[in-house]
Amino acid sequence: EERLSSRLSGTTLTTSDAIVRELVEQISSNPKLAVWLVNEDLIRRFVASIDNIASGVSPQAHLEFLRPRESFEVDERSGGRLVIEPDSYARYDTVAQVFASIDTDGAVALYREIEPLIDEAYAEIGPANADFDDRLDRAFNLLLAAPVLDESVPVEQLVVTYAWADDEIEALSAAQRHFLRMGPENVALIQGKVR
């Protein structure tokens, strides 16, 4: 708690949203980020999302506001082969562009500034004496380990959803498979920022 900066003095995890919004808006000028910051429990959402990714679970439950409004589409190629329609990848362009717009040095400084609140949020969901920095490293490493695919990688229709036709891709974690649905260009853009 003594590491809290004077800007965060008196701020608790429960009351942190307003200052977090102000601080995050300083590390990206992308206007879409401000729209997303109207959500509540920003630090808890961040921590839960990172913990999910580190566990190989898709963080979509905590990031519902990022869900594309457009529907997922596939295209049937010659021989009846199904591939993801390029427009389906484009549904995630804004997410990738906002992520890429974040100033890296500013993000690191912000993280270190609010780290006591992040640790407090992680203590609510993580095992005793666990270190959130380790979870963040694991999440980053899982995202970086996801392959950048060709746009025409086949998928198979299940009952209602689709699965990757390639067993090696389908064997990736749920978080990695969800990440790949963002499309090759967006995956490469986000991986570049994570690096």
Side-chain angles (χ1 to χ4, degrees):
E1 298 289 327
E2 63 274 6
R3 292 185 303 172
L4 284 175
S5 72
S6 59
R7 290 193 290 186
L8 294 176
S9 181
T11 302
T12 66
L13 188 55
T14 305
T15 64
S16 63
D17 284 341
I19 189 71
V20 168
R21 284 183 192 104
E22 179 184 319
L23 295 172
V24 170
E25 287 176 350
Q26 294 174 15
I27 62 172
S28 172
S29 60
N30 191 307
K32 193 64 177 180
L33 182 59
V35 173
W36 295 337
L37 291 174
V38 300
N39 288 280
E40 302 295 320
D41 283 329
L42 295 171
I43 291 177
R44 284 185 174 109
R45 281 179 191 270
F46 169 75
V47 166
S49 297
I50 294 298
D51 188 55
N52 280 176
I53 294 168
S55 298
V57 176
S58 172
Q60 66 185 4
H62 309 291
L63 303 173
E64 189 64 33
F65 58 94
L66 297 179
R67 179 185 289 268
R69 287 186 166 56
E70 303 86 3
S71 61
F72 177 81
E73 302 287 334
V74 295
D75 184 29
E76 188 170 339
R77 300 285 166 91
S78 63
R81 192 175 74 133
L82 295 175
V83 297
I84 298 174
E85 177 67 43
D87 287 347
S88 282
Y89 294 139
R91 302 175 311 151
Y92 291 100
D93 287 355
T94 301
V95 173
Q97 290 162 2
V98 169
F99 191 81
S101 76
I102 294 171
D103 174 68
T104 305
D105 292 336
V108 171
L110 171 62
Y111 178 82
R112 293 297 173 214
E113 188 168 359
I114 64 173
E115 192 170 11
L117 296 173
I118 289 171
D119 289 342
E120 184 181 334
Y122 187 57
E124 295 176 350
I125 63 169
N129 300 319
D131 183 19
F132 184 75
D133 282 348
D134 292 340
R135 297 304 279 170
L136 184 62
D137 286 343
R138 179 156 173 73
F140 282 174
N141 288 332
L142 279 172
L143 293 178
L144 292 172
V148 177
L149 304 175
D150 180 288
E151 287 195 17
S152 60
V153 175
V155 293
E156 299 173 331
Q157 186 166 14
L158 303 178
V159 177
V160 177
T161 61
Y162 292 85
W164 298 100
D166 183 314
D167 290 339
E168 286 184 29
I169 298 170
E170 194 57 33
L172 296 171
S173 73
Q176 289 171 314
R177 290 191 316 269
H178 196 151
F179 183 44
L180 293 178
R181 283 184 234 142
M182 296 182 76
E185 291 178 17
N186 291 329
V187 167
L189 191 62
I190 290 171
Q191 286 179 334
K193 180 57 72 169
V194 167
R195 277 189 196 92

